[in-house]
Structures are given as structure tokens and as C-alpha cells.
Amino acid sequence: MQVRLFKPSVGEAELARIREVFERSWLGLGPLVTEFEEAWKRYVGTGAALGVNSGTAALHLSLAGYGFRPGAKVLVPAMTFVATAAAPLYNGFEPVFVDMDPETLSLSLEDLERKCTPECVAVMPVHLGGHPVAMDRLLDFARQRGLKVIEDCAHCTGGSYQGKKLGTWGDIGCYSFEEKKCMTTGDGGMLVSDDVELVDRLRPRRWVGIDKDTWRRAGGYTRQEEDARHWYYEVSVLGYKYNMNDLAAAIGLAQLEKLDAMNRRRREIIRRYLDGIRGLSRLRPLMPYDTAAGVYWIFGVRCEQRDDLIIALKRREIATGVHYMPLTLHPLFKAHRGSVPVAEEVWKTMVTLPLFPDLTDAEVDYVVQALRDFDRGR
Ligand SMILES: *Cc1c(COP(=O)(O)O)cnc(C)c1O
């Protein structure tokens, strides 16, 4: 039996929406992007949403609308995907790495206090693996220090903390619809905020600075009125080619309808894994899992003999991963290194195991058996 690490759940519902796009023959930034943004606003409960072509683009734009001065510092976790810490660099700001909490793997609020200096303008909590950062405590701290809060929700799309959707706690929330994530549009992302004016300021920046979208302009090409200037637009800010397109939005609309069910299935799988590995001596769960209500993208274990475990699973054709090597260990961030001893120690024990909605119980049991055999030295 071969078991993949991640796999998108796509099928007839997505194909039907893609067919509509083909029939309309408008594949770019168009009405479905707006429809998906509206659906997303209703789903998470936020004032404004901006569809973009990746989570990385959303994170880049999230820091672009505040007018922070060049060289300003942005607090980011050391334990995250590179895109989180690339966002300050793209904007000419400096990342300051915050260590992780040894149990939850998300950023340590104690280390956040230690690392925060008066030059810091924002903090980017990542709900790592899906475990929610204690947003009430983080917001108290951020408000005291005047920090903007940008939530990276790439691992927890659809998840909540204290009954409020993740991504709506901070000033801005960013989601990823990359193919491996909780839901997908192939590649794609969404930025949300209750600050409608802020999102309006960011809107042209996802479309090379253009303040009107082509779909609306195209309507004007043939409208029967005495207006020879329907083609007119102005560019007053430097923007990027970051727009979501209708083909991606079509997939997103179908995926959004399934999101809660996919997250429920991931929870069920995690419950099965946890039952299966209970009492093992060389392995323990990667983080505390709330199997009643949590939304997780990563299921994993900690194991002192991490590489032996990876090889043992590989022999049984079970895919594994490591999320993540701390960013401070990458050459790119050498200049920003700082001290993050917990992340640099604990990551050596972390292994990610297969988790996706279409994973069957038989496949989970097969992985569990491999883990149990490894634990007994077989
Ligand atoms: C995947 C991911 C991103 C980036 O999302 P893309 O859509 O792939 O650009 C950002 N942050 C984290 C933590 C991620 O895992």
C-alpha cells in the first residue's frame, strides 16, 4: 500500500463550476472572483475580502497598506513556512524571529514579549498545523505595544478560536488555497479585514496598480452610450500581478461548500491516529489535538529517532514530511538570526504523517501499524 502525504479532494462539483467558466469563456479576474470574495466574507464573517493568486501574495500585501517606514521590524515565528517571513522582506521590512511554544509549536507569547522592541510595527502569528494561537492574549499584548496583527491562516482555514473564525481576530487574516492546504484553488489565497478602506487601498495592488477591474471595463466596451473613454484607468500605486482568476475562484466556490466536511474528516482521521498510537513509548503526538472542534492541516508525531522513523515508513511506502526546519537555519535569514533555542531543538524530532480528507481508515490503520512496529523495534 502506498500512502501519500497530502492530496486535494476535487471532483464533479469543481468540474461543473469549471465548465461554467469555460462556457462563459472568461477565465481571468472576473465575476467569479467577486462571488468567491462575497462567499468568503459571509463564511468567515468579515468586512472585506481580496482574492489573490497565493497565500504568499496575501501575506506580501498585508504589510503594504500601513505606510510603515522602510526598515521597520515585523515579528514572525521561527517555526513557519518561508512565505511568512518573506512578507516583511518583500516590503523592505526586517523580520524578527520569535521562538516557538514547546507544546503547541506556535509562537511563544513569552518570547514575543522578549523580542518586541519599539522598532516593531507588526506581528504575524501563524496557527501552526492548525493549533490556534491564544489570540485574546496576543491581541492584548499587540494593542499595548501598538502592533498591527496579521494572522497567517494557511494551516487552519475554517478554524475558530473561542467561537470566532481565525483570520478575523487580527487586523488582517491571510489564507492559502495551495493544492495541499485545507481547501484548494490549485494556487490561490485570500486576504480579509474588517477595515474595508484598507482592503480598498490594497485592491489595485493585486492588479498591477490598476484601480478598475477589466471585467467591469469590458462591460463598457459595447455599452450603448456616448462614452469613448470606457477604456480609461489610472495607475497611482506600484502593484503586482497577484489577482485571483475566475478559473481558480470557480474551484474555490465548490471547495468552500465542502470545507467544513473536509475539516471534520481530518479530525476523524486524527482521532483514529491518536487512538492507534496511544501508549507508545518512542512516539508521541506532535501537538495537543482538539478532536472535538479543531481544524488541522498537519498530523504528526515527535520521535527522538526521527530519521530512523522516516526511513522505516519509507520502506512501507508511507510518505512523510517535516514542517518545518526553523527559518533561522536558512541562509536567507542569516542576518536576522537571533536566538530561538526551542525551535532549533524541537524541530529535530518532528515528523508529519499523511493527512487528507480522502485518506481511508484502512490507510490510517496501515500507517498506525507501521508506527507501532517501529515503536517495538520491528
Ligand atoms: C502554504 C503556506 C503559505 C503560503 O501559501 P501559498 O498559497 O503556497 O503561497 C504561507 N504560510 C504558511 C504557514 C504556509 O504553510
Side-chain angles (χ1 to χ4, degrees), residues 15-29:
L15 281 173
R17 303 278 337 213
I18 289 170
R19 177 170 291 279
E20 282 172 44
V21 176
F22 277 29
E23 281 163 1
R24 188 186 297 112
S25 199
W26 186 284
L27 277 63
L29 176 61

Side-chain angles (χ1 to χ4, degrees), residues 303-333:
C303 174
E304 293 298 329
Q305 302 82 26
R306 194 246 326 253
D307 292 354
D308 296 340
L309 173 60
I310 288 175
I311 288 166
L313 295 176
K314 209 173 239 186
R315 286 206 186 104
R316 299 194 189 195
E317 298 193 284
I318 298 166
T320 53
V322 172
H323 296 85
Y324 296 92
M325 178 166 92
L327 295 181
T328 45
L329 300 180
H330 288 279
L332 174 66
F333 298 110

Side-chain angles (χ1 to χ4, degrees), residues 25 31 37 49 65 99 154 159 162 165 182 196 227 233 240 287-288 293 309 327 330 336 338 340 370 373:
S25 199
E37 288 168 346
D99 207 352
Q162 295 181 350
K165 281 271 186 288
C182 297
V196 178
D227 177 12
Y233 60 80
Y240 309 92
M287 58 175 76
L309 173 60
L327 295 181
H330 288 279
H336 309 279
V340 290
D373 288 347

Side-chain angles (χ1 to χ4, degrees), residues 231-253:
W231 49 267
Y232 184 79
Y233 60 80
E234 276 180 8
V235 175
S236 46
V237 292
L238 177 63
Y240 309 92
K241 186 62 173 69
Y242 276 178
N243 61 283
M244 179 175 276
N245 65 49
D246 267 22
L247 205 46
I251 301 171
L253 282 160

Side-chain angles (χ1 to χ4, degrees), residues 347-365:
W347 85 278
K348 297 176 197 160
T349 68
M350 291 162 47
V351 185
T352 303
L353 296 172
L355 180 64
F356 50 87
D358 296 338
L359 194 64
T360 63
D361 286 352
E363 286 171 320
V364 177
D365 294 346

